[in-house]
Amino acid sequence: MSREEVDRALLRLGAERDAVETALLALQDHPGRRLLDGAALSGRTQERWAVAAHGLSVLWSLFDRYAEALASARAVRSRRNKPGAPELAELSELLGGAAVTVSGSQLPGSAGPVPARLVEQISLAELLERMNGWYAVVLDVVSAADAVWSALPTRIDLLLAELGRVQMLSGSVGVRPGAHPMADDLAELGRELTTLRAEVRADPLALWRPGRVPPQGGGGLGHPAPSGVVDAERFDRAGRALDGIRVELEGLLRLRDEAQERLVQVGDLLQRADSTLAEARRARGEVLAKIAATEVPAVPGPASALRERIAQAADLQQTGQWHRLAPLLDSLEDAAAKELARARQSLTEVAAPLAVRAELRGRLEAYKAMAARLGVAEDPEVIERFEKARWLLWSAPCDLRAGAEAVGRFQQALRPAARTAETIQDGQGA
């Protein structure tokens, strides 16, 4: 190497030494490293940290050899302002040859067995490459553990606190372990989260999923840590389950506030259904008395079974068993609405003949008014047909078929006069 090449190499190696020292100090002070040092580890994390912790001590040892070799080269260079051939030869060996003595420190996963030799002779470039390898090993473990510990423990503690509030809420609405599946689910969620928190603290790497594509530079000295994501599926699943239970419990709280009003509404629906059925029975009696030759359907009785269920719902309300009251009250509201619809349908079916009679009476009165407008109200045939229809529709029992035919005949008696009136109007218009 020439003097200029030696000086450039010393400058470059000095800058690399400073960069390595900065990276190692940052790694030594990394929060993940401090947590790993003081944690009771297990599983994958324990295995990988045993290797990485050894790698950290190897890193400092290698750095010391690097710094000593660089100091030796600088000492040789400082002997003369213009080093001669012997000095340049020595510097060439120190800076580019296998002049650094290090202990055997094969990287984990390297091909081949661990070297049997206790020491090796390597160059500064090889030494830097070896430090890069060990740095990547240590940083991978430290960064992954720190990412998991930063992401999950606090969130788990917050979710456990929320679980405690939800459990208090469940007790206030009568949902207790052994008496309701929702309370058992809450207890199971508590056990799952407690187990997950213990696993996160002891084995964070079990919840780390490395990125498929390594970052540019491979995570060595001066490069970013390897990429990956925290596996939060179990935590997220527990959060979703807790949210679902909380929504159900909030529904029970609303039920507690609304139960009395809803029970009153159910009772009101049944009262209206009973009134409608009573009206249907009165209408049936009237149809049987006033309409001849008509099949009248029977009117169903009141829904006594529903009233027993309403009494049961009231007992559940008094004893605060809201989780049992909720489905019962929903079914009662549906049944009461159907009961009212059934009563109204019965009234419609029973009163149909009366509605037909009323419709025929209305048509007869309308045709009578038409006869007056046409000037045939005094016509004997018109009068006869009107009186016949009126007698049939206002007599009891009323024959609806005969009454409908009589109304039709009365309408036919008006048609000649209606056609005459239309002809006169057409002539006047022309």
Side-chain angles (χ1 to χ4, degrees):
M1 297 176 68
S2 67
R3 186 183 65 180
E4 290 77 10
E5 289 173 333
V6 167
D7 290 341
R8 285 196 299 269
L10 287 172
L11 285 174
R12 175 176 55 80
L13 293 172
E16 287 178 351
R17 179 218 172 275
D18 293 341
V20 169
E21 183 179 31
T22 300
L24 289 180
L25 289 173
L27 183 59
Q28 189 72 24
D29 199 43
H30 196 290
R33 201 277 312 165
R34 295 199 303 270
L35 290 172
L36 284 165
D37 267 349
L41 302 175
S42 64
R44 185 186 309 176
T45 306
Q46 184 182 34
E47 295 173 2
R48 293 190 60 189
W49 178 238
V51 175
H54 168 70
L56 188 57
S57 64
V58 170
L59 266 173
W60 281 109
S61 176
L62 294 177
F63 175 72
D64 289 342
R65 303 289 79 75
Y66 189 93
E68 290 169 0
L70 180 59
S72 297
R74 285 174 172 169
V76 174
R77 175 64 183 85
S78 64
R79 291 176 190 168
R80 295 182 181 181
N81 187 33
K82 293 182 180 182
E87 286 83 6
L88 290 176
E90 186 179 357
L91 285 169
S92 298
E93 177 63 20
L94 287 174
L95 298 178
V100 185
T101 302
V102 297
S103 60
S105 57
Q106 186 180 28
L107 288 171
S110 298
V114 176
R117 292 174 298 174
L118 296 179
V119 295
E120 300 176 80
Q121 294 293 125
I122 60 176
S123 67
L124 285 174
E126 291 172 330
L127 180 56
L128 182 61
E129 182 180 355
R130 189 166 296 187
M131 283 193 292
N132 265 319
W134 276 111
Y135 181 86
V137 169
V138 178
L139 185 63
D140 188 13
V141 176
V142 167
S143 298
D146 184 56
V148 175
W149 280 331
S150 298
L152 285 180
T154 301
R155 294 169 65 191
I156 293 173
D157 288 340
L158 290 174
L159 194 59
L160 280 169
E162 178 64 17
L163 174 64
R165 288 191 290 271
V166 173
Q167 286 176 320
M168 292 179 61
L169 177 63
S170 69
S172 70
V173 292
V175 175
R176 295 178 176 83
H180 193 279
M182 197 159 27
D184 298 333
D185 291 343
L186 286 173
E188 179 60 30
L189 274 178
R191 289 189 290 271
E192 167 66 12
L193 287 172
T194 301
T195 300
L196 179 60
R197 180 174 58 181
E199 290 179 6
V200 168
R201 293 183 184 278
D203 191 11
L205 296 189
L207 297 166
W208 176 254
R209 299 294 175 262
R212 294 183 179 180
V213 180
Q216 185 177 3
L221 288 161
H223 296 292
S227 62
V229 294
V230 177
D231 183 1
E233 174 57 29
R234 288 170 62 189
F235 172 83
D236 293 338
R237 186 167 58 246
R240 290 191 297 268
L242 184 59
D243 285 342
I245 294 174
R246 181 173 55 241
V247 169
E248 290 189 51
L249 291 174
E250 289 172 351
L252 293 181
L253 277 178
R254 287 193 298 272
L255 173 64
R256 186 178 64 181
D257 297 335
E258 301 169 358
Q260 183 60 37
E261 181 181 355
R262 291 174 65 183
L263 281 172
V264 170
Q265 290 174 351
V266 168
D268 180 62
L269 287 175
L270 283 185
Q271 182 63 41
R272 290 160 61 188
D274 289 346
S275 300
T276 303
L277 289 175
E279 185 179 351
R281 284 188 285 272
R282 288 193 296 271
R284 187 173 188 275
E286 183 179 356
V287 168
L288 292 174
K290 297 182 178 180
I291 307 296
T294 300
E295 292 291 336
V296 185
V299 177
S304 56
L306 276 182
R307 297 195 179 280
E308 294 176 1
R309 293 171 64 193
I310 290 177
Q312 180 186 0
D315 290 340
L316 293 177
Q317 179 194 12
Q318 291 296 323
T319 55
Q321 299 182 61
W322 308 109
H323 60 284
R324 295 180 57 194
L325 176 61
L328 177 58
L329 192 51
D330 289 341
S331 64
L332 279 175
E333 289 173 333
D334 182 63
K338 289 180 178 178
E339 181 64 22
L340 179 58
R342 182 175 72 103
R344 287 172 173 171
Q345 180 65 25
S346 177
L347 176 60
T348 300
E349 293 173 354
V350 167
L354 295 176
V356 172
R357 187 185 67 172
E359 191 268 337
L360 289 173
R361 286 177 173 181
R363 284 172 56 192
L364 183 62
E365 292 299 324
Y367 293 147
K368 178 182 178 182
M370 180 186 294
R373 289 196 304 272
L374 296 174
V376 295
E378 301 300 326
D379 184 276
E381 183 183 4
V382 171
I383 293 174
E384 179 187 359
R385 293 189 179 187
F386 172 76
E387 292 297 335
K388 177 65 174 177
R390 189 175 187 284
W391 180 82
L392 286 171
L393 292 176
W394 266 266
S395 63
C398 173
D399 188 336
L400 291 178
R401 180 176 298 177
E405 293 174 353
V407 172
R409 286 194 299 272
F410 179 59
Q411 180 188 14
Q412 291 173 358
L414 302 181
R415 287 176 179 171
R419 285 195 292 269
T420 301
E422 290 176 0
T423 302
I424 294 173
Q425 289 178 356
D426 291 344
Q428 290 176 350

